[in-house]
């Protein structure tokens, strides 16, 4: 099953309410907080909050306050916070902050005015309640903790290098990104890294021959930029960090920790109170985006060649807002500190922000950080953000606002190692630690060398302190992936005296080149399962050798298994996210040596590593086209993107994986047309999602937001989408469009642009044709002309009806009614069933292994209308859950956990697609005094007609709600019965009776 441990996942589900509360104070505080009743009385916990006010911040203020001039920069310019009008408007906003806080008796801890108009403050429950009612207050949000997201050379794979590469087209690495500043909001910087080296900052202004050279004006770093504006920063001193550590590459470094430092005392910190990187994540992302060119790297004795940042001539400005605690729950960055960092980055004048940070729950577009990015984009700053590392489950993304470029992670050509078994079989995997052949060694599983008293399950995954040194010494251990961190497994092998490890995927997943403690090769299925079986045999031997000595190769780029997927929940699927994908697996870049085993460089994987590739590419773009808007750059990256592959080498057709696809820098500089957007588009989108902006901008359907993609989360019958494109290269362009199961028409289908900069609009009319109702379908809209190809993904969830998926009723005879709306008048409405299958007894013990869980599969055919599984424990004190799954490519894929912890659960499928579906019975605890949980299971499969009747028999009209009634008679009352009301395109409503 494609789920490592169902018991653990079910336990997490049962405890989900415990982890959704925002962190407003750390556990274990010395002084107890108010009594629970005090907090509950108003519904808000006391703590630190970020309060957002309605007036526009400096980056977007266009005037309107008497005596205060507009501060929003002109197109292609950056906000000037030090201008007379900027200082005056900032003072006005700060006065308003103090007034609003004073009305509820609060004190402002920190003011925000550049990208967000608001303040941070410690508030009581009552103060939060009063502020939420105060006119002019947009939101009062808890100060949450956010976490950094954890060809073989990506710059070669992306075709940046080489005589025909992008760098050469831009004048070489010395010019690629020149005149641009990349701001990095992260864990700080390790300034001694060779990838950050450069001449010292001098005091002489730049010359005409070198107009973008940064220099010092007192303690301020000044740099004239490609867009004609000026960056002003500084190198903030602090713990183990002096101002002279900045140079002409690392031109500014600041830290923001008022919130974090106030709640994490010194004895719980594992960081520097300075811009210095206490973790290594920020150094890695910064040098990936804009590290120095051609730095030689040797790691673990293996010569890894040269590394270069994506925009090697761009400058780096660091804004440390994420911090490392001794405990994991103390590590991260608070909303208040992150907003402060973004505010300062825009005020300083950065051109690009990289944000490799995220939450486990999708941030709303009105989250203070997302609103700060809105103002940043409005001020002309390109924002690249990590999409998240919670894949491959659907709807696990973060940073999904339309003004942000959301990035997924893909693979590049792997660093290989080969596992050579004693029987002669060879299996290639990923390895960055096998620099020379290990020679033949005994191969064992963790079970064979475990300590006394350790369970087989824990030994198989090589958990800490599970292996016996007396048995492990001199051996290579095969360790199952799962539960513990991958590198912790090799550390356990090393602790026990092992000389190597084979890391085994038990189902199809990504393989990662971690910096392991012992030589390690990471294998995927099916080879991993063969090696696992062989390792369990007596006398098994193995040799690990560098490179791929087999005849098989690994297709790339593939989506990383961990990369978060769409659809976006905050947009209800009406905005496609992620936007695109970039290399994020086994990326080599600089790190902080103290927290990375003394190494100056490391391979890291995550969307955190993908985002800085896009940030660097944006820097290249803005160096060439400094007057382009962030969304024009984003469009160019998206519409020139290429395909992502599956593990078989086929094209990955799921748009929720990679959005527009894998970024292709070799094509990005010549997009032909761009889909641009700005303030009015973003505000109209917000209004269309139900957010009242108070700006007077009319709402638009979120699907009509002018994105370089088209997404409709629910299309009833027909919908017409509007877009506009601006010519980069004038000429005649012709549209082609294809979306399987839909009729798609582009009007007009030919656009003629007589000059660059000309903008024209068009529509795409989408109508449900042969596609299944409720089934996602996707295709492409492509404009071709002037020698260019402009490709945009389309994803649609069509429906033939808006109706509940399930209704219920009671009694041997009776009826139930519900409201339905169809997209076409006169379509038929049919009834099927009722089915009442016998009750089948069963039992499951708490703690049963996944493979031992009772299984109830159903083979669904084209004639199957609905399936319903009903389970109930014999003992009313019992607790039972169902795991709904579908078999895909011969493997079970868990879809959802069904149940609430009570003694019964029910799972239903309405109009399921053909294939094998099923449920597993699972319990977390047995009834008191029992060794198992006994239950009865009923499987109702609805296929044909029966006693269920439905009226009306056809829809009376389109797009107008009407009532549907299902009725029955002669049914048993001691067990459930199931029927189905069917609408066109396999849509329908499951009717549960009794």
């Amino acid at each position: 099953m494609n789920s490592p441990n169902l018991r653990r996942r079910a336990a997490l589900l049962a405890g989900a309410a415990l982890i959704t509360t925002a962190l407003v104070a750390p556990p274990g505080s010395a002084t107890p907080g108010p009594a629970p009743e005090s907090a509950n009385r108003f519904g808000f916990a006391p703590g630190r909050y970020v309060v957002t006010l309605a007036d526009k911040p400096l980056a977007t203020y266009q005037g309107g306050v008497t005596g205060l001039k507009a501060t929003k920069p002109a197109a292609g310019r950056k906000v000037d916070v030090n201008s007379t009008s900027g200082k005056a408007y900032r003072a006005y906003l700060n006065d308003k902050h103090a007034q609003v806080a004073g009305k509820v008796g609060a004190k402002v801890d920190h003011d925000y005015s550049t990208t967000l108009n608001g303040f941070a403050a410690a508030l009581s429950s009552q103060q939060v309640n009063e502020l939420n009612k105060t006119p002019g207050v947009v939101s009062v949000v808890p100060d949450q903790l956010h976490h950094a997201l954890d060809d073989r050379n990506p710059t070669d794979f992306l075709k940046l290098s080489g005589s025909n590469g992008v760098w050469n087209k831009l004048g070489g690495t010395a010019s690629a990104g020149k005149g641009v500043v990349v701001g990095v909001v992260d864990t700080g910087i390790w300034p001694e890294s060779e990838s950050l080296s450069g001449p010292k900052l001098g005091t002489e202004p730049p010359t005409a021959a070198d107009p973008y050279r940064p220099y010092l004006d007192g303690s301020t770093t000044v740099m004239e930029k490609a867009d004609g504006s000026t960056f002003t920063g500084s190198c903030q001193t602090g713990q183990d960090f002096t101002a002279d550590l900045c140079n002409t590459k690392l031109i500014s470094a600041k830290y923001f920790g008022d919130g974090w430092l106030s709640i994490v005392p010194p004895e719980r910190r594992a960081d520097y109170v300075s811009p210095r990187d206490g973790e290594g994540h920020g150094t890695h992302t910064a040098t990936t985006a804009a590290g120095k060119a051609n730095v030689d790297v040797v790691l673990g004795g293996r010569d890894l060649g040269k590394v270069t940042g994506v925009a090697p001539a761009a400058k780096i400005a660091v804004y440390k807002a994420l911090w490392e605690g001794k405990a994991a729950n103390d590590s991260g960055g608070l909303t208040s500190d992150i907003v402060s960092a973004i505010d300062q980055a825009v005020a300083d004048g950065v051109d690009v922000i990289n944000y490799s940070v995220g939450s486990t729950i999708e941030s709303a577009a009105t989250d203070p950080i997302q609103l700060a990015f809105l103002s940043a984009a409005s001020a002309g700053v390109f924002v690249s953000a990590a999409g998240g590392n919670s894949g491959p489950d659907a709807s696990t993304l973060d940073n999904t606002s339309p003004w942000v470029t959301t990035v997924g992670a893909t693979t590049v050509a792997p660093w290989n190692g080969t596992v050579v078994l004693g029987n002669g079989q060879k299996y290639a995997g990923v390895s960055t630690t096998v620099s020379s052949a290990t020679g033949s060694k005994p191969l064992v599983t963790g079970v064979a060398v475990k300590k006394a008293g350790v369970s087989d399950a824990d030994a198989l995954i090589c958990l800490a302190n599970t292996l016996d040194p007396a048995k492990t010494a001199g051996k290579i251990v095969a360790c199952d992936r799962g539960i513990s961190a991958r590198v912790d497994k090799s550390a356990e092998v090393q602790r026990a005296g092992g000389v190597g490890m084979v890391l085994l995927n038990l189902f199809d997943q990504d393989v990662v080149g971690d910096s392991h403690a012992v030589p390690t090769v990471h294998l995927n299925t099916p080879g991993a399962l063969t090696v696992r079986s062989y390792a369990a045999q007596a006398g098994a031997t193995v040799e690990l050798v560098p490179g791929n000595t087999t005849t098989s190769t690994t297709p790339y780029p593939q989506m990383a298994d961990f990369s978060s997927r769409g659809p976006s929940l905050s947009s209800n699927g009406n905005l496609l996210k992620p936007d695109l994908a970039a290399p994020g697996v086994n990326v080599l870049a600089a790190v902080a040596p103290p927290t990375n085993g003394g190494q100056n460089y490391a391979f890291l994987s995550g969307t955190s590593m993908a985002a800085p590739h896009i940030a660097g590419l944006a820097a290249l773009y803005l160096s060439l086209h400094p007057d382009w808007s962030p969304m024009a750059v984003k469009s160019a990256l998206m519409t020139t993107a290429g395909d992502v592959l599956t593990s078989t080498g086929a094209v990955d057709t799921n748009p929720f994986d990679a959005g527009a696809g894998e970024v292709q820098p070799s094509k990005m500089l010549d997009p032909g047309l761009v889909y641009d957007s700005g303030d009015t588009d973003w505000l109209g989108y917000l209004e269309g999602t139900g957010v009242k902006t108070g700006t007077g901008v009319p709402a638009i359907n979120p699907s009509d937001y002018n994105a370089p993609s088209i997404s409709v989360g629910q299309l009833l019958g027909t919908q017409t989408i509007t877009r506009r494109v601006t010519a980069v290269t004038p000429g005649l362009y012709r549209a082609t469009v294809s979306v399987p199961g839909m009729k798609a028409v582009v009007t007009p289908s030919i656009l003629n642009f007589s000059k660059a900069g000309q903008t024209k609009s068009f529509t795409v009319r989408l109508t449900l044709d042969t596609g299944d109702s409720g089934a996602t379908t996707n295709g492409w809209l492509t404009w071709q002309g002037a020698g260019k190809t402009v490709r945009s993904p389309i994803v649609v969830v069509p429906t033939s009806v808006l109706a509940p998926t399930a209704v219920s009723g009671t009694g041997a005879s009776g009826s139930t009614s519900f409201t339905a709306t169809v997209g076409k008048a006169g379509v038929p409405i049919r009834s099927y069933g009722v089915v009442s299958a016998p009750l089948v007894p069963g039992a499951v013990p708490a703690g049963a292994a996944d493979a031992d869980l009772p299984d109830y599969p159903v083979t669904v055919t084209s004639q199957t209308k609905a399936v319903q599984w009903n389970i109930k424990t014999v003992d009313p004190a019992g607790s039972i859950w169902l795991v709904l799954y579908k078999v895909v490519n011969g493997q079970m894929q868990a879809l959802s956990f069904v149940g609430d912890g009570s003694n019964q659960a029910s799972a239903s499928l309405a109009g399921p697609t053909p294939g094998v579906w099923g449920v597993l019975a699972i319990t977390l605890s047995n009834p008191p005094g029992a060794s198992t949980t006994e239950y009865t299971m009923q499987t109702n499969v609805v296929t044909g007609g029966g006693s269920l009747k439905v009226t009306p028999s056809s829809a009376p009209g389109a797009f107008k709600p009407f009532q549907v009634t299902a009725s029955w008679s002669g049914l048993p009352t001691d067990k459930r019965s199931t029927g189905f009301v069917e609408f066109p395109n396999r849509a329908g409503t499951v009717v549960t009776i009794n």
Side-chain angles (χ1 to χ4, degrees):
M1 162 155 313
N2 195 355
S3 177
N5 191 302
L6 293 172
R7 282 185 293 117
R8 291 175 188 262
R9 290 187 64 180
L12 286 172
L13 182 66
L18 301 177
I19 61 173
T20 56
T21 303
L23 176 64
V24 293
S29 301
T31 305
E37 308 84 56
S38 175
N40 291 338
R41 178 182 172 194
F42 297 100
F44 303 101
R48 187 177 169 88
Y49 284 78
V50 177
V51 182
T52 304
L53 304 185
D55 287 333
K56 296 300 176 189
L58 273 75
T60 58
Y61 173 61
Q62 294 178 287
V65 178
T66 303
L68 295 175
K69 295 181 179 179
T71 56
K72 176 179 169 59
R77 308 288 292 184
K78 300 298 185 292
V79 63
D80 186 355
V81 298
N82 294 314
S83 65
T84 300
S85 55
K87 290 178 179 178
Y89 188 61
R90 182 190 295 273
Y92 166 79
L93 293 180
N94 290 351
D95 285 345
K96 292 282 287 285
H97 300 166
Q99 292 172 21
V100 171
K103 287 180 180 178
V104 299
K107 181 182 178 182
V108 174
D109 291 339
H110 190 92
D111 291 292
Y112 308 107
S113 57
T114 304
T115 58
L116 185 80
N117 173 28
F119 60 90
L123 302 173
S124 68
S125 303
Q126 185 171 358
Q127 287 170 329
V128 175
N129 189 55
E130 292 176 0
L131 281 171
N132 272 311
K133 300 176 182 178
T134 300
V137 172
V138 174
S139 64
V140 186
V141 178
D143 201 1
Q144 299 181 0
L145 193 67
H146 301 259
H147 300 280
L149 299 171
D150 286 322
D151 300 355
R152 300 187 309 186
N153 187 328
T155 55
D156 292 341
F157 167 65
L158 293 174
K159 299 181 181 178
L160 295 172
S161 57
S163 58
N164 295 317
V166 176
W167 290 333
N168 236 24
K169 293 178 182 177
L170 296 174
T173 55
S175 299
K178 205 167 188 177
V180 174
V181 179
V182 177
V184 182
V185 178
D186 214 302
T187 62
I189 200 76
W190 196 261
E192 292 84 1
S193 171
E194 180 62 25
S195 288
L196 296 165
S197 62
K200 288 186 176 294
L201 288 165
T203 57
E204 291 295 321
T207 63
D210 190 11
Y212 307 132
R213 176 174 53 79
Y215 66 97
L216 286 174
D217 182 2
S219 60
T220 300
T221 305
V222 180
M223 176 181 152
E224 305 299 328
K225 300 188 303 155
D227 66 359
S229 63
T230 302
F231 173 87
T232 55
S234 62
C235 209
Q236 186 178 2
T237 60
Q239 185 180 356
D240 291 349
F241 204 96
T242 54
D244 60 358
L245 290 173
C246 287
N247 54 37
T248 55
K249 165 55 76 174
L250 175 62
I251 64 174
S252 184
K254 301 176 181 180
Y255 66 94
F256 304 84
D258 288 352
W260 189 83
L261 295 170
S262 70
I263 65 170
V264 180
E267 64 272 16
R268 299 212 319 253
R269 301 173 191 163
D271 211 328
Y272 309 89
V273 184
S274 74
R276 185 171 289 280
D277 192 349
E279 200 274 348
H281 188 272
T283 303
H284 198 281
T285 58
T287 55
T288 297
K292 177 184 172 181
N294 299 317
V295 177
D296 291 306
V297 177
V298 176
L299 189 62
R302 189 173 186 177
D303 185 352
L304 300 176
K306 299 179 185 296
V307 296
T308 302
V310 174
K315 307 304 182 184
I316 295 172
V318 169
Y319 301 87
K320 177 177 176 177
L322 276 77
W323 300 80
E324 191 72 5
K326 292 179 179 177
N329 61 356
D330 279 337
S331 298
L334 288 170
T335 299
S336 58
D337 295 333
I338 293 171
V339 172
S340 293
I342 298 167
D343 218 46
Q344 189 61 56
V346 176
D348 288 349
V350 303
D351 301 285
V352 177
I353 290 177
N354 185 75
Y355 185 69
S356 291
V357 185
S359 300
T360 55
I361 299 173
E362 184 177 353
S363 301
T366 53
D367 175 85
I369 293 172
Q370 300 303 309
L371 289 178
F373 284 143
L374 168 61
S375 294
S378 180
V381 178
F382 183 96
V383 179
S384 177
N389 296 342
S390 299
D393 292 342
S395 299
T396 49
L397 288 164
D398 194 20
N399 300 316
T400 57
S401 299
W403 46 85
V404 167
T405 300
T406 311
V407 188
T410 52
T411 64
V412 294
W415 291 86
N416 285 125
T418 301
V419 176
V420 182
L421 302 181
N423 61 12
Q425 292 181 322
K426 298 179 180 181
Y427 299 94
V430 167
S431 176
T432 60
T433 51
V434 179
S435 56
S436 60
T438 60
S440 181
K441 305 290 181 185
L443 175 65
V444 294
T445 66
V447 171
V449 293
K450 69 177 184 176
K451 286 182 176 179
V454 171
S455 71
D456 287 357
D458 287 348
L460 280 171
I461 58 177
C462 301
L463 284 182
N465 297 311
T466 58
L467 305 184
D468 186 341
K471 300 176 183 177
T472 309
K475 296 180 174 66
I476 292 176
V477 185
C479 298
D480 292 353
R481 182 177 184 174
I483 308 303
S484 63
R486 297 182 300 270
V487 293
D488 290 350
K489 300 174 188 295
S490 62
E492 172 60 12
V493 172
Q494 182 189 54
R495 182 201 63 78
V499 295
M501 180 178 78
V502 183
L503 182 58
L504 306 172
N505 286 351
L506 301 184
F507 53 91
D508 186 22
Q509 274 185 290
D510 57 322
V511 283
V512 185
D514 299 304
S515 298
H516 285 284
V518 295
T520 297
V521 178
H522 189 173
L523 294 181
N524 197 16
T525 55
L529 301 180
T530 304
V531 172
R532 189 176 191 254
S533 298
Y534 175 76
Q537 300 175 15
T541 61
V542 69
E543 181 179 20
L544 308 182
V545 299
N548 181 354
T549 64
T550 73
T551 57
S552 62
T553 58
T554 302
Y556 62 90
Q558 296 181 45
M559 287 307 299
D561 188 68
F562 59 74
S563 188
S564 291
R565 267 62 166 184
S568 163
L569 298 177
S570 66
S571 71
N572 293 317
N574 292 315
L575 178 68
L576 181 60
K577 290 285 181 169
D579 292 304
L580 74 173
V585 176
N586 302 330
V587 176
L588 181 62
V591 290
T595 49
N596 288 274
Q599 301 286 353
N600 295 312
Y601 290 81
F603 287 96
L604 297 182
S605 297
T607 54
S608 282
M609 287 63 249
H613 281 92
I614 298 301
L617 292 175
L620 296 181
Y621 226 112
L622 293 171
S623 178
L624 183 65
H625 297 293
D627 59 339
W628 274 39
S629 74
M631 297 300 100
V633 175
K634 174 180 177 176
S635 176
L637 295 173
M638 289 178 64
T639 60
T640 58
D643 292 331
V644 173
L645 306 179
T646 67
S647 58
T648 65
V651 173
D652 183 344
T653 58
N654 186 346
F656 298 129
D657 289 352
E662 175 82 356
V663 67
Q664 295 191 112
S666 60
K667 297 182 178 181
M668 71 178 188
L669 296 176
D670 202 10
L673 307 172
V674 292
Y675 295 79
D676 204 356
S677 57
D679 294 6
T680 301
D681 301 279
W682 301 327
L683 294 172
Y685 170 86
L686 288 174
E687 291 281 351
T689 60
V691 176
K692 302 302 179 185
T693 66
T695 60
V697 174
I700 62 171
N701 186 312
S703 293
D704 284 332
Y705 168 72
N706 202 48
S709 58
I710 292 175
S711 185
V712 184
Q714 186 181 69
L715 185 150
L716 178 61
T718 297
Q719 186 167 331
T720 300
I721 312 299
T722 301
R723 287 291 185 272
R724 63 182 188 275
V725 285
T726 300
V728 177
T729 303
L732 193 72
Y733 289 81
R734 180 175 179 272
T736 56
V737 62
S738 175
V739 184
M742 305 288 295
K743 291 180 180 177
V745 179
V746 180
T747 306
S749 60
I750 295 177
L751 296 176
N752 185 26
F753 298 89
S754 59
K755 61 181 179 179
Q758 191 174 16
T759 298
K760 292 181 179 291
S761 297
F762 65 91
T763 62
V764 181
R765 183 176 174 84
L766 299 169
T767 304
L768 176 60
D769 187 18
T770 59
D772 285 349
S773 180
T776 301
T777 183
N778 62 281
W780 298 93
L781 163 66
T782 304
W783 290 98
Q784 288 180 302
K788 316 299 178 190
T789 298
V790 188
R791 189 176 78 157
S792 295
I794 301 176
V795 57
V796 183
V797 182
T799 182
S800 60
V801 63
L802 298 180
T805 57
V807 296
S808 61
T810 59
S813 300
S815 65
T816 186
S817 298
F818 57 91
T819 299
T821 305
V822 298
K824 184 178 180 180
V827 296
I829 305 172
R830 299 185 175 96
S831 61
Y832 296 89
V834 177
V835 174
S836 185
L839 305 180
V840 178
V844 60
D850 294 351
D852 297 329
L853 295 174
D855 184 8
Y856 298 89
V858 171
T859 299
V860 171
T861 71
S862 60
Q863 302 304 309
T864 306
K865 304 301 180 181
V867 183
Q868 184 177 76
W869 294 268
N870 298 304
I871 192 169
K872 185 175 183 179
T873 64
V874 175
D875 188 332
S879 175
I880 199 76
W881 300 71
L882 293 176
V883 182
L884 178 65
Y885 69 82
K886 184 180 183 183
V887 175
V888 179
N889 297 326
Q891 290 187 325
M892 288 184 185
Q893 288 198 351
L895 302 177
S896 62
F897 288 86
V898 182
D900 56 8
S902 67
N903 75 320
Q904 56 186 317
S906 180
S908 299
L909 296 174
T913 55
V916 177
W917 299 73
V919 295
L920 304 176
I922 188 171
T923 185
L924 303 180
S925 60
N926 296 318
S931 58
T932 63
T933 297
E934 297 182 352
Y935 60 81
T936 57
M937 170 67 82
Q938 181 193 48
T939 305
N940 290 336
V941 181
V942 181
T943 56
S947 62
L948 191 70
K949 307 300 180 184
V950 63
T951 55
S953 59
S954 63
F959 305 107
K960 293 182 179 180
F962 62 94
Q963 189 159 313
V964 178
T965 299
S967 58
W968 60 88
S969 62
L971 298 184
T973 57
D974 58 344
K975 58 182 177 180
R976 281 188 172 167
S977 300
T978 308
F980 187 66
V981 175
E982 185 182 58
F983 297 88
N985 302 87
R986 295 183 66 84
T989 300
V990 176
V991 181
T992 303
I993 306 163
N994 299 321

